[in-house]
Amino acid sequence: MVGTALGMVLYRASRPKTYLPGEEHAEITRSLSKGLPEDAPLPRFKDVSVEAGLGSFRTFSGNRSSQLPEDMGPGAAWGDFDNDGDEDLFLVASGGAMSLPQEERAPSQLYRNDGDGTFALVPDFPETRVMGMGAAWGDYDGDGWLDLMVTGYNSLILYRNREGHFERDAGFPELRGFWAGAAWGDYDGDRDLDLYVCGYVRYAEDDADRAKATRQYGRSVPYTLNPASYQPERNLLFRNEGDSTFTEVADALGVANLEGRSLGALWHDFDEDGLLDLYVANDISDNVFYRNLGTSFQEISHAAWVADYRGAMGLAGGDWNRDGDDDLFITHWIAQENALYDSLLADGQRLPSKKGLSTKAPVRFVDVADQRGLGQIALRLVGWGAEFADFDGDGWLDLIVANGSTFETDETPKWLQPQQPFLFWNRRGEHFHDIAPLDEALSKPHVGRGLALADYDDDGDLDILLMHHGEGAQLLRNEMQMGSWLKVRLRSKVGNGKALGFGDGATVIAHVAGATIRRTVGSSSYLSQSSRVVHFGLGDASRVEKLEVRWLGGGTSVYENLQAGTTWALTEGDPVARRVTGATSLASSTMAPREDLSDRERLVKFWEEQRRAVRAMKVENDTSRAIEHFLKALTLNPEHEDSLYYLANCLAVEGDLPGAVARLQDLVRINPQSHRAYKQLGILHAIASESPADLDAATEALEKSVSINPEETGSLLVLGEIALVQGDLNAAEQRLSWACRTNPKAVGGFFLRGYIAWRQQDASRAKQLLAEARQALGEDWHPEGMTSEGDVRRRMHVDETPLSRFWESWDGTEDPALAFDALEEHLRSQRMVSKS
């Protein structure tokens, strides 16, 4: 009682003051004018919806008629339905105007990932033309193939996956109702998946109601768009009986949430007792937190300080501050702020009991959204789908939020008002900064609803799928991740023992360079589901020293020294981590490596793959094929230095800089005296630099290369270039002069020294150095021409050094103003050139 009373006091005190959209507010203005810190990354997401094959999908047909079932969806769900190792995609359509006949509604559709960055419509998936809301994948029959639940207005459909082909489960009840979010989870610990379905409102179709309206925040809102106009719908909990049948037990277990207009639910073990708890997001009524006691549920919403009273839509769970427990983020309606409930579990606070202190800490949270930059910034917007994810690979969970208004436009026919999404960069657990306005794709407003994440192109970073009401699906490819990465695919035991499950509910903890990073297999967002593949950003780390997997309802598995830049397949009960080299079927990814090879056979096979890789790289100029063979060679000899070095170079050419860095770091671990590894590390850090810290890392690696081999001209040259970028002309001249003395053919050294002389207003010496650069090129040299602006993005991965394109494109002129104009403009654009 004491804890509950104290919770209510804090809960009420934390309520924001009444705010009207668009009004000036000192706290909001101050919050939004802080600006970004210097170390904030530049968001880079490319809209690939059309080129990926999703451009023709539409979420809505016809014109809106201002009725609630038309506006609340849709969502989407990622899942590998065909078990080929890549993420397929189910897109839900809202259908369209309620007056449309069923055959004219926009269809929900299943897309197969072809493994080459594109998707193809699955033609034999059953036609699904519903007033769609959400979707969720889950292997309910335990056969090793993901089945699919689709929800909507008067639609609750369970599709059974028969080895890649789908049929409707005729035994699942066809219940009428306004069904929203669906969440799979093994709440009773019997090793099969149960299903929770959120009921929204008991919508009544009455043409007379459409003429009624109320005023909300100065706007006229039709009666038929106000959820308060209708009674709440019940929620459903389908207990899996283990024989592909279900029993509905929500009321019997006290989780029907009869007073809540529910939109989403999250299964998550917040108290870390091995049982999945249940958190339900309700619109215009308190949210509900049900603690799982094993045989029953206890409603602890107020006691846990998370009886969120606002209009809630999206949910996301994750350890954003890396304090060892999972926290909760909730999106809300306009003028209500979003919430970041920080768990106090790791703080070890305990409730008093009759016998002293209880043996287990209570589950309690504190809303810190305002303190961390997530509260007031959201007052003007309506938030929907949300997910925690490490988009830049620095080891800290960032946050993506889909926004879209529920207010109508003034045009005819009426549509909903678009809004921009949020992309919050997490600055080391201190503060979240919205960097979405800096990205072209993310800065465009849409009527956002569902949101789900997956590494659809299997390049090691998480991509974003946004669902826009009245439009279609927007797939944004992540091009901003710079840190190294590691991915995990889990296969867990199931109750019937027929196959392996997909790790639902498991917690994965990575120990990396003194940090502890948590991830959980599960997703909620809003009407949507993200990939089950667990993604870790690792910063500069080349490996995870220890990885713990806490299987739901089982024990803990520990794996050591897992290499970064790799996807690992981990199976419950198997102590060996299996490397996954690409989009491979899950069945084959869990197979053991070829243990039957003799040493001689292994050596012969290694050199076969190594020669194929080198030929592909040097003769065929096919780096993608070279990568494939180098990876095969390294499975046979993981510590071969040439394989690691050339693989890193190929990955860099293909644009996978984090992967390249990870391989070079492995080479350094194997051979700490590898000057070429340190040199290439320095070059990659310099080419991809976005902050002074990146240049410092490049300098450190290059200085190590020089200390190992003082005659290494290439490292000296890049050190000089870095000094130029930093604006230190004296240091640049010293390093470049050393490079020219060591190697009289160092064209770049003479060229850049000429630039330094020109900057120091010594035109005569600048001309002399340009003449020496021309002499170093030799008699047979012919100019190649200036790199066009459109080539720069491609060349940034293949340039030998950060500034090499400027002397490579030099036409041989000895006029300093002409020779150095492009270089001067580039350095000034970086704002790092000294003005002295």
Side-chain angles (χ1 to χ4, degrees):
M1 292 296 294
V2 174
T4 301
L6 178 59
M8 286 300 298
V9 171
L10 294 176
Y11 170 76
R12 288 168 177 160
S14 67
R15 295 190 184 199
K17 296 179 179 179
T18 302
Y19 164 78
L20 296 179
E23 72 176 358
E24 293 298 323
H25 191 290
E27 288 299 322
I28 299 173
T29 304
R30 182 158 57 248
S31 175
L32 300 182
S33 63
K34 288 181 178 179
L36 294 176
E38 293 182 358
D39 56 344
L42 182 66
R44 294 191 302 273
F45 287 87
K46 181 180 180 182
D47 188 335
V48 294
S49 312
V50 174
E51 66 184 74
L54 304 178
S56 63
F57 179 79
R58 290 293 175 265
T59 61
F60 199 88
S61 293
N63 296 323
R64 294 176 59 259
S65 58
S66 299
Q67 299 190 71
L68 199 57
E70 297 174 340
D71 292 355
M72 299 304 291
W78 292 99
D80 182 11
F81 80 86
D82 52 4
N83 281 349
D84 66 350
D86 50 32
E87 297 294 328
D88 308 303
L89 181 61
F90 186 79
L91 300 179
V92 183
S94 299
M98 294 188 67
S99 59
L100 284 179
Q102 182 175 358
E103 62 271 15
E104 295 183 21
R105 294 173 182 167
S108 301
Q109 295 177 325
L110 176 62
Y111 289 84
R112 175 184 286 107
N113 189 334
D114 285 337
D116 58 359
T118 65
F119 295 83
L121 187 66
V122 178
D124 64 350
F125 187 82
E127 185 174 72
T128 307
R129 295 181 183 270
V130 297
M131 302 290 291
M133 289 286 282
W137 296 98
D139 180 16
Y140 76 92
D141 54 1
D143 64 352
W145 297 82
L146 288 173
D147 309 298
L148 181 66
M149 167 56 63
V150 181
T151 67
Y153 177 62
N154 288 330
S155 297
L156 195 58
I157 305 172
L158 180 59
Y159 289 116
R160 191 168 189 173
N161 186 348
R162 299 288 193 179
E163 298 187 1
H165 301 277
F166 291 84
E167 61 184 32
R168 185 165 181 168
D169 187 334
F172 194 82
E174 299 183 24
L175 301 176
R176 294 183 64 81
F178 196 161
W179 309 117
W184 295 96
D186 178 15
Y187 81 89
D188 52 2
D190 61 356
R191 294 295 186 137
D192 51 35
L193 288 180
D194 311 297
L195 177 67
Y196 192 81
V197 177
C198 294
Y200 188 37
V201 298
R202 297 181 183 178
Y203 187 79
E205 300 178 39
D206 187 339
D207 287 341
D209 290 338
R210 295 165 61 188
K212 305 176 185 177
T214 58
R215 301 291 294 180
Q216 293 181 340
Y217 299 111
R219 294 179 179 273
S220 176
V221 176
Y223 177 94
T224 51
L225 288 182
N226 187 349
S229 302
Y230 307 97
Q231 292 298 310
E233 181 58 89
R234 71 197 187 283
N235 293 351
L236 309 170
L237 175 57
F238 293 98
R239 184 180 65 212
N240 192 330
E241 301 297 350
D243 58 359
S244 300
T245 66
F246 295 88
T247 301
E248 205 286 297
V249 295
D251 190 58
L253 292 179
V255 294
N257 192 203
L258 298 177
E259 297 179 359
R261 297 166 176 84
S262 303
L263 287 170
L266 174 64
W267 290 109
H268 201 99
D269 183 12
F270 282 108
D271 56 2
E272 298 188 12
D273 63 353
L275 299 170
L276 290 177
D277 307 305
L278 179 64
Y279 190 85
V280 182
N282 291 324
D283 196 3
I284 64 170
S285 54
D286 287 2
N287 292 350
V288 183
F289 185 11
Y290 297 107
R291 189 175 193 177
N292 191 342
L293 302 181
T295 57
S296 62
F297 288 89
Q298 177 188 17
E299 198 268 291
I300 62 168
S301 315
H302 291 281
W305 304 344
V306 287
D308 193 287
Y309 54 88
R310 295 163 279 188
M313 278 80 83
L315 299 172
D319 186 10
W320 65 275
N321 52 2
R322 301 202 320 201
D323 66 348
D325 50 31
D326 286 338
D327 313 299
L328 179 64
F329 178 80
I330 306 174
T331 60
H332 293 121
W333 198 54
I334 196 167
Q336 295 179 349
E337 299 191 358
N338 292 334
L340 177 61
Y341 285 106
D342 184 36
S343 173
L344 304 179
L345 187 69
D347 299 338
Q349 299 185 31
R350 300 181 183 276
L351 289 175
S353 67
K354 293 181 180 180
K355 297 182 180 180
L357 292 180
S358 66
T359 59
K360 188 160 104 176
V363 187
R364 290 187 291 198
F365 299 80
V366 174
D367 187 358
V368 297
D370 274 343
Q371 302 171 30
R372 304 301 178 182
L374 299 176
Q376 294 174 355
I377 193 173
L379 280 171
R380 300 168 180 168
L381 305 174
V382 180
W384 302 88
E387 279 282 19
F388 284 113
D390 185 359
F391 290 111
D392 58 348
D394 65 353
W396 295 89
L397 284 175
D398 309 305
L399 180 65
I400 177 79
V401 180
N403 295 315
S405 184
T406 56
F407 291 126
E408 298 178 314
T409 62
D410 295 329
E411 61 193 18
T412 302
K414 293 182 180 295
W415 291 102
L416 299 175
Q417 296 180 2
Q419 297 177 337
Q420 295 177 357
F422 288 129
L423 177 60
F424 291 109
W425 172 62
N426 182 353
R427 190 172 189 265
R428 298 187 294 275
E430 301 166 357
H431 199 82
F432 286 90
H433 300 269
D434 180 26
I435 58 176
L438 304 179
D439 183 82
E440 180 180 1
L442 286 170
S443 61
K444 295 178 180 178
H446 299 274
V447 183
R449 290 296 187 262
L451 178 154
L453 309 178
D455 181 12
Y456 84 95
D457 51 0
D458 199 29
D459 63 352
D461 54 34
L462 287 173
D463 310 296
I464 302 171
L465 190 284
L466 292 163
M467 297 299 290
H468 300 315
H469 182 277
E471 297 181 57
Q474 184 183 29
L475 180 60
L476 302 179
R477 186 177 68 210
N478 186 348
E479 297 180 349
M480 72 175 289
Q481 178 171 289
M482 294 302 297
S484 61
W485 57 272
L486 181 140
K487 295 195 301 180
V488 176
R489 293 179 185 169
L490 298 181
R491 303 309 307 272
S492 52
K493 297 177 180 178
V494 297
N496 58 27
K498 292 192 299 185
L500 291 173
F502 296 86
D504 295 84
T507 297
V508 187
I509 302 174
H511 300 270
V512 186
T516 301
I517 307 175
R518 295 167 56 94
R519 301 287 186 268
T520 300
V521 181
S523 174
S524 179
S525 187
Y526 174 75
L527 307 179
S528 303
Q529 184 181 54
S530 295
S531 169
R532 282 175 166 82
V533 179
V534 179
H535 172 271
F536 289 95
L538 303 178
D540 294 331
S542 62
R543 63 184 52 249
V544 170
E545 291 105 26
K546 184 173 72 171
L547 190 79
E548 299 177 52
V549 181
R550 299 176 182 174
W551 305 96
L552 182 66
T556 298
S557 300
V558 177
Y559 307 87
E560 296 184 347
N561 294 321
L562 297 185
Q563 185 175 2
T566 303
T567 301
W568 295 94
L570 310 178
T571 302
E572 187 175 5
D574 185 351
V576 179
R578 315 293 182 186
R579 187 190 302 267
V580 180
T581 58
T584 310
S585 72
L586 288 176
S588 63
S589 71
T590 58
M591 292 173 59
R594 291 284 303 276
E595 300 293 344
D596 54 332
L597 294 177
S598 67
D599 290 346
R600 178 173 177 79
E601 289 172 331
R602 189 177 298 277
L603 181 63
V604 170
K605 190 169 181 60
F606 165 80
W607 281 111
E608 287 177 355
E609 296 297 339
Q610 179 75 358
R611 292 188 185 100
R612 289 170 183 163
V614 173
R615 178 177 177 80
M617 177 181 67
K618 294 186 176 182
V619 179
E620 301 168 358
N621 196 30
D622 187 344
T623 52
S624 178
R625 181 175 172 81
I627 289 171
E628 176 184 350
H629 288 296
F630 279 128
L631 285 170
K632 291 179 179 178
L634 285 166
T635 61
L636 297 161
N637 185 355
E639 297 190 347
H640 194 273
E641 293 185 33
D642 283 347
S643 296
L644 287 167
Y645 181 77
Y646 291 131
L647 174 59
N649 289 341
C650 290
L651 289 170
V653 169
E654 290 294 310
D656 184 4
L657 296 187
V661 168
R663 302 298 178 174
L664 292 169
Q665 289 172 333
D666 283 334
L667 178 52
V668 167
R669 176 184 57 81
I670 294 166
N671 180 8
Q673 296 302 306
S674 177
H675 71 86
R676 64 176 179 172
Y678 281 112
K679 172 189 172 184
Q680 201 65 11
L681 271 172
I683 290 174
L684 292 180
H685 280 305
I687 289 176
S689 64
E690 294 183 346
S691 68
D694 293 331
L695 293 178
D696 290 343
T699 299
E700 180 180 356
L702 292 163
E703 288 177 344
K704 181 67 174 179
S705 174
V706 173
S707 69
I708 295 171
N709 182 6
E711 303 302 313
E712 173 48 58
T713 304
S715 297
L716 291 170
L717 181 61
V718 183
L719 282 169
E721 292 181 61
I722 291 174
L724 267 183
V725 172
Q726 293 174 324
D728 191 340
L729 300 185
N730 292 331
E733 171 62 20
Q734 182 182 31
R735 294 167 177 176
L736 295 169
S737 297
W738 189 1
C740 291
R741 287 196 301 271
T742 304
N743 179 12
K745 297 294 185 180
V747 178
F750 291 110
F751 181 88
L752 295 177
R753 290 175 65 202
Y755 168 79
I756 294 171
W758 178 65
R759 282 291 317 283
Q760 295 174 337
Q761 300 183 354
D762 189 345
S764 175
R765 178 153 178 76
K767 290 182 179 180
Q768 176 187 343
L769 287 165
L770 282 174
E772 293 185 56
R774 174 65 185 85
Q775 182 180 356
L777 286 167
E779 296 179 358
D780 298 328
W781 172 78
H782 297 284
E784 296 179 358
M786 184 60 185
T787 301
S788 67
E789 190 66 28
D791 294 335
V792 172
R793 175 174 286 276
R794 170 65 180 166
R795 288 182 57 81
M796 70 176 286
H797 299 306
V798 298
D799 279 337
E800 183 179 347
T801 65
L803 302 180
S804 60
R805 66 177 181 271
F806 295 101
W807 70 76
E808 289 176 352
S809 60
W810 175 46
D811 62 3
T813 179
E814 293 184 12
D815 182 344
L818 295 176
F820 302 129
D821 179 70
L823 176 59
E824 171 72 352
E825 182 179 358
H826 170 74
L827 292 176
R828 285 196 180 279
S829 71
Q830 303 298 307
R831 298 181 180 178
M832 293 183 182
V833 178
S834 171
K835 295 181 180 180
S836 60

